[in-house]
Amino acid sequence: MNDNSKVLLALLAGIAAGVAIGVLIAPEKGTDLRQRIADTLGDIGEDVKAKLLAEYDKLTKVSEEEENNIAETIPKE
C-alpha cells in the first residue's frame, strides 16, 4: 500500500468516525440530521471525485508524453 492509499484510507476512516460521533451527540431530529449528513457526504464525494479526475488527467498526460518520448527514440526504418 503506497502513501497516497494510506492517506485516503485514513481520511475516510476519520470521516466515518466524525459522522458517527455527530450522530451520537446531535441534538437535532433524526430526519434533519440524516439529510445534513447526506448533503455533507455528497459534497465530500464530489470533492474526492474532482480530485481523482484531476489526478487521472495528469497521469494520462504523463503517459502520453512518455509514449511520444519512446516513439521518438525508436529508429525509423
Side-chain angles (χ1 to χ4, degrees):
M1 194 183 255
N2 64 27
D3 289 339
N4 290 337
S5 297
K6 290 178 185 177
V7 169
L8 183 59
L9 186 61
L11 176 67
L12 293 175
I15 290 169
V19 168
I21 290 170
V23 168
L24 293 174
I25 63 172
E28 303 178 49
K29 283 183 13 181
T31 54
D32 294 339
L33 179 61
R34 284 191 295 275
Q35 184 60 49
R36 194 172 62 158
I37 290 170
D39 292 344
T40 301
L41 291 177
D43 293 343
I44 291 170
E46 290 297 320
D47 290 345
V48 169
K49 181 180 176 182
K51 288 177 183 178
L52 288 174
L53 287 174
E55 290 302 316
Y56 178 78
D57 290 341
K58 287 180 191 176
L59 288 173
T60 301
K61 183 179 178 184
V62 168
S63 175
E64 290 171 354
E65 289 172 357
E66 288 304 313
E67 281 183 21
N68 290 337
N69 290 340
I70 291 170
E72 290 174 2
T73 60
I74 297 174
K76 300 195 182 199
E77 295 178 26

